[in-house]
Amino acid sequence: MLVFYDLVTAEEVEVASKIEAQVFPPEEAESLEAFRKRHSQAPELFLGAYIPVLEGQGRKLVGFVCATLSPETIFKLESMSKHIPGASSICIHSVCVDPEHRQKRIGLNLLQEFVERAERRAAAGGVSYERVLLMTHEELRGFYEKAGFEWLGRSAVVYGSRPWHAMRKELSR
């Protein structure tokens, strides 16, 4: 299956929100309003995985990564609601793949593409990206470690009913 990556457009944000609603528990899934706000603040950090449709004349969003920027060196509760332009830490809020397209390495490849794009932008100058931060549940630790993230342990952030764990990947320049 051919998968390609591109920035999610404002018109596709609702589709991304629906994908997250399918894969996140209701108390953890963000609202469409929150998605639109993040996209409006940091569209360059909203990367989609797509498959072609209609004989190459269209595309279908099958996964996405969305993030914002923070000056913090570890993901904090404030990182979830504030985007600080020009900050050095990319805070990933979601890595989601449509359930119909799971177990095809789309999520891992998408996450690696997201990190590589951040590294290229940092190396080219104009952005001050130094690291990528995220929070996850323990059962997803291996997935993020495959993408090069370092396990930092339990997070102090409380969001939903389950504990979160912090992870980090320092970017190479």
Side-chain angles (χ1 to χ4, degrees), residues 91-165:
C91 297
I92 291 180
H93 300 281
S94 305
V95 178
C96 295
V97 175
D98 185 308
E100 290 182 29
H101 297 282
R102 287 189 161 179
Q103 304 301 316
K104 300 175 184 175
R105 297 185 57 89
I106 293 172
L108 182 60
N109 292 340
L110 171 62
L111 185 56
Q112 290 171 331
E113 177 73 16
F114 182 87
V115 169
E116 288 170 11
R117 286 177 181 224
E119 287 175 333
R120 285 195 302 268
R121 288 192 70 205
V127 295
S128 58
Y129 304 158
E130 295 177 13
R131 71 195 59 78
V132 180
L133 307 173
L134 60 86
M135 293 186 320
T136 190
H137 294 301
E138 193 163 6
E139 68 270 13
L140 293 172
R141 177 180 182 169
F143 169 79
Y144 290 107
E145 286 178 338
K146 284 181 189 173
F149 284 80
E150 169 191 9
W151 182 258
L152 302 175
R154 189 151 178 177
S155 172
V157 173
V158 176
Y159 187 76
S161 60
R162 298 176 57 210
W164 292 95
H165 296 81

Side-chain angles (χ1 to χ4, degrees), residues 72-92:
E72 303 294 339
T73 58
I74 191 161
F75 205 115
K76 295 185 176 178
L77 189 59
E78 301 81 45
S79 307
M80 295 175 69
S81 59
K82 282 188 178 176
H83 170 67
I84 310 297
S88 59
S89 294
I90 299 171
C91 297
I92 291 180

Side-chain angles (χ1 to χ4, degrees), residues 11 15 35-36 51 59 79 110 123-124 128 137 140 154 156 158 160 170 172:
E11 295 77 26
V15 175
F35 268 81
R36 286 185 172 139
I51 57 174
R59 66 190 197 172
S79 307
L110 171 62
S128 58
H137 294 301
L140 293 172
R154 189 151 178 177
V158 176
E170 296 294 333
S172 58

